[in-house]
Amino acid sequence: MIAFHMIYGLLLILLDLVVTIWEISTRSGAPKGLRGAAIGLMDLQIIIGIITWIMAKPAASFVWHPIFMVVAIIIAHIFTSRRRSKGTRVTGWVITDVLLILGAALFHG
């Protein structure tokens, strides 16, 4: 389960980077369906992470990985909505990407 969580997480980071680049490089931003898919897949990753956490029983010092990831997904849900301005959406995606990368580094560190 840990290996699946790691591989899925890395693929998800790549997808989020694609969405971020799309959001930045086009006038209308990333398509609604792509944004929704990316956020839905992040939600699924949280569930997989919880299951992995229960099965692996990591040390208490490992708490920063899930904290970074949950905060990243909360930011993605709130700040990348189509109701937000393009600047806010771009900022939301960039912050989400940075937190996901830092959280993954904590996982692999």
Side-chain angles (χ1 to χ4, degrees):
M1 187 60 114
I2 292 173
F4 179 76
H5 182 64
M6 286 173 44
I7 293 167
Y8 183 83
L10 290 174
L11 293 173
L12 188 58
I13 290 170
L14 293 175
L15 174 63
D16 284 355
L17 289 171
V18 167
V19 175
T20 302
I21 291 166
W22 199 321
E23 188 73 45
I24 291 168
S25 64
T26 62
R27 192 162 39 149
S28 60
K32 182 179 176 181
L34 182 60
R35 178 205 165 272
I39 292 191
L41 292 171
M42 282 191 265
D43 292 342
L44 179 60
Q45 178 70 336
I46 286 282
I47 294 168
I48 294 167
I50 291 168
I51 293 168
T52 303
W53 183 278
I54 291 168
M55 292 174 58
K57 296 179 177 58
S61 61
F62 190 69
V63 73
W64 291 107
H65 169 74
I67 288 173
F68 272 71
M69 297 311 202
V70 169
V71 170
I73 294 169
I74 290 170
I75 288 171
H77 272 280
I78 295 171
F79 293 102
T80 65
S81 168
R82 281 294 207 187
R83 291 175 286 204
R84 303 285 182 167
S85 69
K86 182 171 178 179
T88 301
R89 290 193 315 266
V90 168
T91 302
W93 282 115
V94 169
I95 292 171
T96 297
D97 292 337
V98 168
L99 289 173
L100 290 176
I101 292 166
L102 290 174
L106 289 170
F107 185 81
H108 294 287

Short mmCIF file of all heavy atoms in Angstrom, two decimals, residues 3-71:
data_model
loop_
_atom_site.label_atom_id
_atom_site.label_comp_id
_atom_site.label_asym_id
_atom_site.label_seq_id
_atom_site.Cartn_x
_atom_site.Cartn_y
_atom_site.Cartn_z
N ALA A 3 3.82 1.66 -1.39
CA ALA A 3 4.35 1.89 -2.74
C ALA A 3 3.28 2.49 -3.65
O ALA A 3 3.56 3.42 -4.42
CB ALA A 3 4.87 0.57 -3.33
N PHE A 4 2.05 1.99 -3.56
CA PHE A 4 0.97 2.55 -4.38
C PHE A 4 0.74 4.01 -4.03
O PHE A 4 0.59 4.86 -4.91
CB PHE A 4 -0.32 1.73 -4.19
CG PHE A 4 -1.47 2.27 -4.98
CD1 PHE A 4 -1.54 2.06 -6.35
CD2 PHE A 4 -2.47 3.02 -4.36
CE1 PHE A 4 -2.60 2.58 -7.09
CE2 PHE A 4 -3.52 3.54 -5.09
CZ PHE A 4 -3.58 3.31 -6.46
N HIS A 5 0.71 4.32 -2.73
CA HIS A 5 0.49 5.69 -2.27
C HIS A 5 1.61 6.60 -2.81
O HIS A 5 1.33 7.72 -3.26
CB HIS A 5 0.46 5.71 -0.74
CG HIS A 5 0.21 7.05 -0.13
ND1 HIS A 5 -0.96 7.76 -0.31
CD2 HIS A 5 0.99 7.82 0.67
CE1 HIS A 5 -0.89 8.90 0.36
NE2 HIS A 5 0.29 8.97 0.95
N MET A 6 2.84 6.13 -2.81
CA MET A 6 3.97 6.93 -3.30
C MET A 6 3.86 7.18 -4.81
O MET A 6 4.00 8.32 -5.25
CB MET A 6 5.29 6.22 -2.99
CG MET A 6 5.68 6.28 -1.54
SD MET A 6 7.14 5.28 -1.14
CE MET A 6 8.26 5.62 -2.45
N ILE A 7 3.63 6.12 -5.56
CA ILE A 7 3.56 6.25 -7.03
C ILE A 7 2.37 7.12 -7.43
O ILE A 7 2.49 8.02 -8.26
CB ILE A 7 3.50 4.86 -7.69
CG1 ILE A 7 4.83 4.14 -7.46
CG2 ILE A 7 3.18 4.97 -9.17
CD1 ILE A 7 4.80 2.66 -7.78
N TYR A 8 1.22 6.84 -6.83
CA TYR A 8 0.02 7.63 -7.13
C TYR A 8 0.26 9.09 -6.77
O TYR A 8 -0.12 10.00 -7.51
CB TYR A 8 -1.16 7.05 -6.33
CG TYR A 8 -2.48 7.72 -6.57
CD1 TYR A 8 -3.27 7.36 -7.65
CD2 TYR A 8 -2.96 8.70 -5.70
CE1 TYR A 8 -4.50 7.97 -7.87
CE2 TYR A 8 -4.18 9.30 -5.91
CZ TYR A 8 -4.94 8.94 -6.99
OH TYR A 8 -6.15 9.53 -7.21
N GLY A 9 0.92 9.34 -5.65
CA GLY A 9 1.21 10.72 -5.24
C GLY A 9 2.11 11.45 -6.21
O GLY A 9 1.88 12.62 -6.53
N LEU A 10 3.14 10.76 -6.70
CA LEU A 10 4.04 11.40 -7.67
C LEU A 10 3.31 11.70 -8.98
O LEU A 10 3.49 12.78 -9.56
CB LEU A 10 5.26 10.52 -7.92
CG LEU A 10 6.23 10.41 -6.74
CD1 LEU A 10 7.32 9.39 -7.04
CD2 LEU A 10 6.83 11.76 -6.41
N LEU A 11 2.48 10.78 -9.43
CA LEU A 11 1.69 11.03 -10.64
C LEU A 11 0.71 12.19 -10.43
O LEU A 11 0.50 13.00 -11.34
CB LEU A 11 0.95 9.76 -11.06
CG LEU A 11 1.83 8.61 -11.54
CD1 LEU A 11 0.99 7.35 -11.77
CD2 LEU A 11 2.61 8.99 -12.78
N LEU A 12 0.16 12.27 -9.23
CA LEU A 12 -0.77 13.35 -8.92
C LEU A 12 -0.05 14.71 -8.92
O LEU A 12 -0.60 15.70 -9.42
CB LEU A 12 -1.41 13.09 -7.56
CG LEU A 12 -2.53 14.01 -7.14
CD1 LEU A 12 -3.66 14.00 -8.16
CD2 LEU A 12 -3.06 13.56 -5.77
N ILE A 13 1.16 14.75 -8.41
CA ILE A 13 1.94 15.99 -8.45
C ILE A 13 2.18 16.41 -9.90
O ILE A 13 2.03 17.58 -10.25
CB ILE A 13 3.26 15.85 -7.68
CG1 ILE A 13 2.98 15.77 -6.17
CG2 ILE A 13 4.20 17.02 -7.98
CD1 ILE A 13 4.19 15.40 -5.33
N LEU A 14 2.52 15.46 -10.75
CA LEU A 14 2.71 15.77 -12.17
C LEU A 14 1.43 16.31 -12.80
O LEU A 14 1.46 17.28 -13.56
CB LEU A 14 3.21 14.54 -12.93
CG LEU A 14 4.61 14.05 -12.57
CD1 LEU A 14 4.92 12.74 -13.30
CD2 LEU A 14 5.65 15.11 -12.87
N LEU A 15 0.29 15.68 -12.49
CA LEU A 15 -1.00 16.17 -13.01
C LEU A 15 -1.26 17.59 -12.53
O LEU A 15 -1.68 18.45 -13.30
CB LEU A 15 -2.14 15.24 -12.59
CG LEU A 15 -3.55 15.72 -12.94
CD1 LEU A 15 -3.73 15.83 -14.46
CD2 LEU A 15 -4.59 14.79 -12.34
N ASP A 16 -1.01 17.85 -11.25
CA ASP A 16 -1.24 19.19 -10.72
C ASP A 16 -0.32 20.22 -11.38
O ASP A 16 -0.73 21.37 -11.60
CB ASP A 16 -1.06 19.21 -9.20
CG ASP A 16 -2.24 18.59 -8.48
OD1 ASP A 16 -3.23 18.23 -9.15
OD2 ASP A 16 -2.17 18.45 -7.26
N LEU A 17 0.90 19.83 -11.69
CA LEU A 17 1.80 20.74 -12.41
C LEU A 17 1.27 21.04 -13.80
O LEU A 17 1.34 22.19 -14.26
CB LEU A 17 3.21 20.16 -12.47
CG LEU A 17 3.97 20.14 -11.14
CD1 LEU A 17 5.26 19.33 -11.28
CD2 LEU A 17 4.27 21.54 -10.66
N VAL A 18 0.72 20.03 -14.48
CA VAL A 18 0.11 20.25 -15.79
C VAL A 18 -1.06 21.23 -15.67
O VAL A 18 -1.19 22.16 -16.47
CB VAL A 18 -0.35 18.91 -16.41
CG1 VAL A 18 -1.26 19.14 -17.61
CG2 VAL A 18 0.84 18.06 -16.80
N VAL A 19 -1.92 21.03 -14.67
CA VAL A 19 -3.06 21.93 -14.47
C VAL A 19 -2.57 23.35 -14.19
O VAL A 19 -3.10 24.32 -14.72
CB VAL A 19 -3.98 21.42 -13.33
CG1 VAL A 19 -5.09 22.43 -13.05
CG2 VAL A 19 -4.58 20.07 -13.68
N THR A 20 -1.53 23.46 -13.37
CA THR A 20 -0.98 24.79 -13.04
C THR A 20 -0.45 25.47 -14.30
O THR A 20 -0.74 26.65 -14.54
CB THR A 20 0.15 24.66 -12.00
OG1 THR A 20 -0.37 24.02 -10.84
CG2 THR A 20 0.71 26.02 -11.63
N ILE A 21 0.32 24.75 -15.09
CA ILE A 21 0.86 25.33 -16.33
C ILE A 21 -0.27 25.72 -17.27
O ILE A 21 -0.24 26.78 -17.89
CB ILE A 21 1.84 24.33 -16.99
CG1 ILE A 21 3.09 24.21 -16.12
CG2 ILE A 21 2.20 24.77 -18.40
CD1 ILE A 21 3.98 23.03 -16.47
N TRP A 22 -1.28 24.88 -17.37
CA TRP A 22 -2.44 25.18 -18.22
C TRP A 22 -3.15 26.44 -17.72
O TRP A 22 -3.54 27.30 -18.50
CB TRP A 22 -3.39 23.99 -18.22
CG TRP A 22 -4.37 23.94 -19.35
CD1 TRP A 22 -5.04 24.99 -19.92
CD2 TRP A 22 -4.80 22.78 -20.05
NE1 TRP A 22 -5.86 24.55 -20.92
CE2 TRP A 22 -5.73 23.19 -21.02
CE3 TRP A 22 -4.51 21.44 -19.94
CZ2 TRP A 22 -6.37 22.30 -21.86
CZ3 TRP A 22 -5.14 20.55 -20.78
CH2 TRP A 22 -6.06 20.99 -21.74
N GLU A 23 -3.31 26.52 -16.41
CA GLU A 23 -3.98 27.68 -15.81
C GLU A 23 -3.20 28.96 -16.11
O GLU A 23 -3.77 30.00 -16.42
CB GLU A 23 -4.11 27.47 -14.30
CG GLU A 23 -4.93 28.50 -13.59
CD GLU A 23 -6.42 28.36 -13.84
OE1 GLU A 23 -6.96 27.25 -13.80
OE2 GLU A 23 -7.06 29.42 -14.08
N ILE A 24 -1.88 28.87 -16.05
CA ILE A 24 -1.03 30.04 -16.29
C ILE A 24 -0.99 30.43 -17.76
O ILE A 24 -1.05 31.60 -18.12
CB ILE A 24 0.41 29.78 -15.78
CG1 ILE A 24 0.41 29.70 -14.25
CG2 ILE A 24 1.38 30.85 -16.25
CD1 ILE A 24 1.71 29.16 -13.66
N SER A 25 -0.91 29.43 -18.63
CA SER A 25 -0.60 29.69 -20.03
C SER A 25 -1.80 30.00 -20.93
O SER A 25 -1.61 30.40 -22.07
CB SER A 25 0.19 28.53 -20.62
OG SER A 25 -0.59 27.36 -20.62
N THR A 26 -3.00 29.80 -20.45
CA THR A 26 -4.17 30.10 -21.27
C THR A 26 -4.99 31.22 -20.65
O THR A 26 -4.99 31.39 -19.43
CB THR A 26 -5.07 28.85 -21.45
OG1 THR A 26 -5.55 28.43 -20.18
CG2 THR A 26 -4.31 27.71 -22.11
N ARG A 27 -5.68 31.93 -21.49
CA ARG A 27 -6.47 33.06 -21.01
C ARG A 27 -7.64 32.60 -20.14
O ARG A 27 -7.94 33.21 -19.12
CB ARG A 27 -6.97 33.89 -22.18
CG ARG A 27 -7.55 35.21 -21.72
CD ARG A 27 -7.67 36.22 -22.80
NE ARG A 27 -8.11 35.69 -24.08
CZ ARG A 27 -8.81 36.37 -24.96
NH1 ARG A 27 -9.14 37.60 -24.69
NH2 ARG A 27 -9.16 35.84 -26.09
N SER A 28 -8.26 31.50 -20.53
CA SER A 28 -9.44 31.03 -19.78
C SER A 28 -9.08 30.10 -18.63
O SER A 28 -9.92 29.76 -17.81
CB SER A 28 -10.40 30.31 -20.73
OG SER A 28 -9.75 29.20 -21.32
N GLY A 29 -7.82 29.68 -18.55
CA GLY A 29 -7.40 28.80 -17.47
C GLY A 29 -7.66 27.34 -17.81
O GLY A 29 -8.09 27.00 -18.90
N ALA A 30 -7.39 26.49 -16.85
CA ALA A 30 -7.56 25.05 -17.04
C ALA A 30 -9.04 24.71 -17.18
O ALA A 30 -9.89 25.36 -16.56
CB ALA A 30 -6.96 24.29 -15.86
N PRO A 31 -9.36 23.72 -18.00
CA PRO A 31 -10.76 23.32 -18.16
C PRO A 31 -11.36 22.85 -16.83
O PRO A 31 -10.66 22.27 -15.99
CB PRO A 31 -10.71 22.16 -19.14
CG PRO A 31 -9.39 22.27 -19.82
CD PRO A 31 -8.48 22.95 -18.86
N LYS A 32 -12.63 23.11 -16.66
CA LYS A 32 -13.32 22.76 -15.41
C LYS A 32 -13.19 21.27 -15.10
O LYS A 32 -12.96 20.88 -13.96
CB LYS A 32 -14.80 23.15 -15.53
CG LYS A 32 -15.60 22.90 -14.29
CD LYS A 32 -17.05 23.32 -14.49
CE LYS A 32 -17.88 22.99 -13.29
NZ LYS A 32 -19.28 23.37 -13.47
N GLY A 33 -13.32 20.44 -16.12
CA GLY A 33 -13.24 18.99 -15.92
C GLY A 33 -11.86 18.55 -15.46
O GLY A 33 -11.74 17.65 -14.61
N LEU A 34 -10.81 19.16 -15.99
CA LEU A 34 -9.44 18.82 -15.60
C LEU A 34 -9.19 19.24 -14.16
O LEU A 34 -8.61 18.48 -13.37
CB LEU A 34 -8.44 19.48 -16.54
CG LEU A 34 -6.97 19.17 -16.29
CD1 LEU A 34 -6.70 17.67 -16.40
CD2 LEU A 34 -6.10 19.94 -17.27
N ARG A 35 -9.64 20.43 -13.81
CA ARG A 35 -9.50 20.90 -12.43
C ARG A 35 -10.24 19.99 -11.48
O ARG A 35 -9.73 19.58 -10.45
CB ARG A 35 -10.04 22.33 -12.31
CG ARG A 35 -9.97 22.84 -10.90
CD ARG A 35 -11.02 23.96 -10.64
NE ARG A 35 -11.16 24.19 -9.24
CZ ARG A 35 -12.00 23.53 -8.44
NH1 ARG A 35 -12.78 22.59 -8.90
NH2 ARG A 35 -12.07 23.78 -7.16
N GLY A 36 -11.47 19.64 -11.85
CA GLY A 36 -12.27 18.76 -11.00
C GLY A 36 -11.65 17.38 -10.85
O GLY A 36 -11.64 16.81 -9.76
N ALA A 37 -11.08 16.86 -11.94
CA ALA A 37 -10.43 15.55 -11.88
C ALA A 37 -9.21 15.61 -10.96
O ALA A 37 -9.01 14.71 -10.14
CB ALA A 37 -10.02 15.10 -13.28
N ALA A 38 -8.41 16.66 -11.09
CA ALA A 38 -7.21 16.78 -10.26
C ALA A 38 -7.58 16.85 -8.78
O ALA A 38 -6.98 16.16 -7.94
CB ALA A 38 -6.40 18.01 -10.67
N ILE A 39 -8.59 17.65 -8.45
CA ILE A 39 -8.99 17.77 -7.05
C ILE A 39 -9.64 16.48 -6.55
O ILE A 39 -9.37 16.05 -5.42
CB ILE A 39 -9.90 19.00 -6.86
CG1 ILE A 39 -9.05 20.24 -7.10
CG2 ILE A 39 -10.54 19.01 -5.48
CD1 ILE A 39 -9.64 21.53 -6.74
N GLY A 40 -10.45 15.84 -7.38
CA GLY A 40 -11.04 14.57 -6.98
C GLY A 40 -9.98 13.51 -6.73
O GLY A 40 -10.09 12.72 -5.77
N LEU A 41 -8.95 13.47 -7.57
CA LEU A 41 -7.86 12.52 -7.37
C LEU A 41 -7.05 12.84 -6.12
O LEU A 41 -6.54 11.94 -5.45
CB LEU A 41 -6.98 12.47 -8.62
CG LEU A 41 -7.65 11.86 -9.85
CD1 LEU A 41 -6.78 12.06 -11.09
CD2 LEU A 41 -7.97 10.39 -9.65
N MET A 42 -6.93 14.14 -5.78
CA MET A 42 -6.28 14.50 -4.51
C MET A 42 -7.09 14.00 -3.33
O MET A 42 -6.53 13.50 -2.35
CB MET A 42 -6.11 16.03 -4.41
CG MET A 42 -4.97 16.57 -5.23
SD MET A 42 -4.63 18.29 -4.84
CE MET A 42 -5.58 19.12 -6.10
N ASP A 43 -8.41 14.13 -3.42
CA ASP A 43 -9.27 13.63 -2.35
C ASP A 43 -9.10 12.12 -2.17
O ASP A 43 -9.01 11.62 -1.05
CB ASP A 43 -10.74 13.95 -2.63
CG ASP A 43 -11.04 15.44 -2.57
OD1 ASP A 43 -10.23 16.20 -1.99
OD2 ASP A 43 -12.08 15.85 -3.12
N LEU A 44 -9.03 11.40 -3.29
CA LEU A 44 -8.81 9.96 -3.23
C LEU A 44 -7.45 9.64 -2.60
O LEU A 44 -7.34 8.70 -1.81
CB LEU A 44 -8.90 9.36 -4.64
CG LEU A 44 -8.66 7.86 -4.75
CD1 LEU A 44 -9.69 7.08 -3.94
CD2 LEU A 44 -8.72 7.43 -6.22
N GLN A 45 -6.45 10.44 -2.90
CA GLN A 45 -5.13 10.22 -2.33
C GLN A 45 -5.15 10.39 -0.81
O GLN A 45 -4.45 9.67 -0.10
CB GLN A 45 -4.11 11.17 -2.98
CG GLN A 45 -2.71 11.08 -2.44
CD GLN A 45 -1.97 9.80 -2.80
OE1 GLN A 45 -2.57 8.77 -3.07
NE2 GLN A 45 -0.66 9.86 -2.75
N ILE A 46 -5.95 11.30 -0.32
CA ILE A 46 -6.09 11.46 1.14
C ILE A 46 -6.64 10.18 1.75
O ILE A 46 -6.15 9.72 2.78
CB ILE A 46 -7.03 12.65 1.47
CG1 ILE A 46 -6.33 13.97 1.21
CG2 ILE A 46 -7.52 12.60 2.91
CD1 ILE A 46 -5.35 14.39 2.28
N ILE A 47 -7.66 9.60 1.13
CA ILE A 47 -8.24 8.35 1.65
C ILE A 47 -7.20 7.24 1.63
O ILE A 47 -7.05 6.49 2.61
CB ILE A 47 -9.50 7.97 0.84
CG1 ILE A 47 -10.59 9.01 1.08
CG2 ILE A 47 -9.99 6.57 1.22
CD1 ILE A 47 -11.75 8.91 0.13
N ILE A 48 -6.46 7.14 0.52
CA ILE A 48 -5.40 6.12 0.43
C ILE A 48 -4.34 6.38 1.50
O ILE A 48 -3.84 5.45 2.14
CB ILE A 48 -4.78 6.11 -0.98
CG1 ILE A 48 -5.82 5.66 -2.01
CG2 ILE A 48 -3.54 5.23 -1.03
CD1 ILE A 48 -5.41 5.90 -3.45
N GLY A 49 -4.02 7.64 1.73
CA GLY A 49 -3.04 7.99 2.76
C GLY A 49 -3.51 7.61 4.15
O GLY A 49 -2.72 7.12 4.98
N ILE A 50 -4.77 7.82 4.45
CA ILE A 50 -5.31 7.44 5.76
C ILE A 50 -5.22 5.92 5.95
O ILE A 50 -4.81 5.43 7.01
CB ILE A 50 -6.76 7.95 5.93
CG1 ILE A 50 -6.77 9.48 6.04
CG2 ILE A 50 -7.43 7.30 7.15
CD1 ILE A 50 -8.14 10.11 5.91
N ILE A 51 -5.60 5.18 4.91
CA ILE A 51 -5.51 3.72 4.98
C ILE A 51 -4.05 3.29 5.16
O ILE A 51 -3.75 2.42 6.00
CB ILE A 51 -6.12 3.08 3.71
CG1 ILE A 51 -7.62 3.34 3.67
CG2 ILE A 51 -5.81 1.59 3.65
CD1 ILE A 51 -8.28 3.02 2.34
N THR A 52 -3.15 3.91 4.43
CA THR A 52 -1.72 3.60 4.56
C THR A 52 -1.22 3.91 5.96
O THR A 52 -0.47 3.15 6.56
CB THR A 52 -0.91 4.38 3.50
OG1 THR A 52 -1.42 4.05 2.21
CG2 THR A 52 0.56 4.06 3.57
N TRP A 53 -1.65 5.05 6.49
CA TRP A 53 -1.26 5.48 7.85
C TRP A 53 -1.70 4.43 8.87
O TRP A 53 -0.94 4.05 9.76
CB TRP A 53 -1.89 6.82 8.16
CG TRP A 53 -1.51 7.41 9.48
CD1 TRP A 53 -2.04 7.12 10.69
CD2 TRP A 53 -0.50 8.38 9.72
NE1 TRP A 53 -1.45 7.85 11.67
CE2 TRP A 53 -0.49 8.63 11.11
CE3 TRP A 53 0.38 9.07 8.90
CZ2 TRP A 53 0.39 9.55 11.69
CZ3 TRP A 53 1.24 9.97 9.49
CH2 TRP A 53 1.24 10.21 10.87
N ILE A 54 -2.93 3.97 8.76
CA ILE A 54 -3.46 2.97 9.70
C ILE A 54 -2.69 1.65 9.59
O ILE A 54 -2.36 1.03 10.60
CB ILE A 54 -4.97 2.76 9.46
CG1 ILE A 54 -5.74 4.02 9.87
CG2 ILE A 54 -5.49 1.53 10.21
CD1 ILE A 54 -7.19 4.05 9.41
N MET A 55 -2.41 1.25 8.35
CA MET A 55 -1.72 -0.02 8.14
C MET A 55 -0.24 0.03 8.54
O MET A 55 0.29 -0.92 9.10
CB MET A 55 -1.84 -0.46 6.68
CG MET A 55 -3.25 -0.84 6.28
SD MET A 55 -3.46 -1.18 4.53
CE MET A 55 -2.30 -2.48 4.27
N ALA A 56 0.43 1.14 8.26
CA ALA A 56 1.88 1.23 8.48
C ALA A 56 2.23 1.69 9.90
O ALA A 56 3.34 1.43 10.35
CB ALA A 56 2.50 2.17 7.47
N LYS A 57 1.33 2.39 10.57
CA LYS A 57 1.58 2.92 11.91
C LYS A 57 2.94 3.63 12.01
O LYS A 57 3.83 3.18 12.72
CB LYS A 57 1.48 1.79 12.94
CG LYS A 57 0.11 1.18 13.03
CD LYS A 57 0.10 0.06 14.05
CE LYS A 57 -1.25 -0.54 14.25
NZ LYS A 57 -1.91 -1.12 13.14
N PRO A 58 3.08 4.76 11.30
CA PRO A 58 4.38 5.46 11.32
C PRO A 58 4.65 6.13 12.66
O PRO A 58 3.74 6.29 13.49
CB PRO A 58 4.22 6.50 10.21
CG PRO A 58 2.76 6.74 10.16
CD PRO A 58 2.11 5.43 10.50
N ALA A 59 5.88 6.55 12.84
CA ALA A 59 6.28 7.26 14.06
C ALA A 59 5.57 8.61 14.15
O ALA A 59 5.15 9.18 13.15
CB ALA A 59 7.79 7.47 14.05
N ALA A 60 5.44 9.10 15.35
CA ALA A 60 4.77 10.38 15.58
C ALA A 60 5.46 11.53 14.85
O ALA A 60 4.82 12.50 14.47
CB ALA A 60 4.69 10.67 17.08
N SER A 61 6.76 11.41 14.64
CA SER A 61 7.51 12.47 13.95
C SER A 61 7.12 12.59 12.48
O SER A 61 7.46 13.57 11.82
CB SER A 61 9.01 12.20 14.06
OG SER A 61 9.33 10.97 13.44
N PHE A 62 6.40 11.61 11.96
CA PHE A 62 5.99 11.61 10.56
C PHE A 62 4.75 12.46 10.31
O PHE A 62 4.26 12.54 9.20
CB PHE A 62 5.73 10.15 10.13
CG PHE A 62 5.53 9.98 8.67
CD1 PHE A 62 6.58 10.16 7.79
CD2 PHE A 62 4.29 9.65 8.16
CE1 PHE A 62 6.39 10.01 6.43
CE2 PHE A 62 4.09 9.49 6.80
CZ PHE A 62 5.15 9.67 5.93
N VAL A 63 4.27 13.14 11.30
CA VAL A 63 3.00 13.87 11.21
C VAL A 63 3.03 15.01 10.19
O VAL A 63 1.99 15.40 9.66
CB VAL A 63 2.56 14.37 12.61
CG1 VAL A 63 3.43 15.53 13.06
CG2 VAL A 63 1.11 14.75 12.61
N TRP A 64 4.21 15.53 9.85
CA TRP A 64 4.28 16.68 8.94
C TRP A 64 3.86 16.34 7.52
O TRP A 64 3.30 17.19 6.83
CB TRP A 64 5.68 17.30 8.95
CG TRP A 64 5.93 17.98 10.26
CD1 TRP A 64 6.75 17.54 11.26
CD2 TRP A 64 5.30 19.15 10.74
NE1 TRP A 64 6.67 18.40 12.33
CE2 TRP A 64 5.79 19.40 12.04
CE3 TRP A 64 4.37 20.04 10.22
CZ2 TRP A 64 5.39 20.48 12.80
CZ3 TRP A 64 3.97 21.12 10.97
CH2 TRP A 64 4.47 21.34 12.25
N HIS A 65 4.09 15.13 7.06
CA HIS A 65 3.67 14.75 5.70
C HIS A 65 2.17 14.91 5.53
O HIS A 65 1.72 15.61 4.62
CB HIS A 65 4.13 13.32 5.37
CG HIS A 65 3.54 12.77 4.12
ND1 HIS A 65 3.94 13.18 2.87
CD2 HIS A 65 2.55 11.85 3.92
CE1 HIS A 65 3.22 12.53 1.95
NE2 HIS A 65 2.38 11.72 2.57
N PRO A 66 1.34 14.29 6.37
CA PRO A 66 -0.10 14.47 6.16
C PRO A 66 -0.58 15.89 6.40
O PRO A 66 -1.53 16.34 5.75
CB PRO A 66 -0.74 13.49 7.15
CG PRO A 66 0.31 13.09 8.09
CD PRO A 66 1.63 13.31 7.42
N ILE A 67 0.07 16.63 7.28
CA ILE A 67 -0.33 18.02 7.52
C ILE A 67 -0.13 18.84 6.24
O ILE A 67 -1.03 19.57 5.81
CB ILE A 67 0.42 18.63 8.72
CG1 ILE A 67 -0.10 18.02 10.02
CG2 ILE A 67 0.28 20.15 8.73
CD1 ILE A 67 0.68 18.42 11.26
N PHE A 68 1.04 18.73 5.63
CA PHE A 68 1.30 19.46 4.39
C PHE A 68 0.30 19.08 3.31
O PHE A 68 -0.21 19.94 2.58
CB PHE A 68 2.72 19.17 3.88
CG PHE A 68 3.77 20.07 4.43
CD1 PHE A 68 4.15 19.99 5.76
CD2 PHE A 68 4.39 21.01 3.62
CE1 PHE A 68 5.12 20.83 6.27
CE2 PHE A 68 5.37 21.86 4.13
CZ PHE A 68 5.74 21.76 5.46
N MET A 69 0.01 17.79 3.20
CA MET A 69 -0.87 17.31 2.13
C MET A 69 -2.32 17.78 2.34
O MET A 69 -2.98 18.20 1.39
CB MET A 69 -0.80 15.79 2.02
CG MET A 69 0.58 15.30 1.63
SD MET A 69 1.25 16.21 0.22
CE MET A 69 2.45 15.08 -0.37
N VAL A 70 -2.80 17.69 3.56
CA VAL A 70 -4.17 18.13 3.83
C VAL A 70 -4.31 19.63 3.59
O VAL A 70 -5.28 20.08 2.98
CB VAL A 70 -4.60 17.74 5.26
CG1 VAL A 70 -5.90 18.42 5.65
CG2 VAL A 70 -4.73 16.21 5.38
N VAL A 71 -3.34 20.41 4.03
CA VAL A 71 -3.37 21.86 3.80
C VAL A 71 -3.35 22.15 2.30
O VAL A 71 -4.09 23.01 1.81
CB VAL A 71 -2.22 22.58 4.54
CG1 VAL A 71 -2.10 24.03 4.11
CG2 VAL A 71 -2.42 22.48 6.04
#
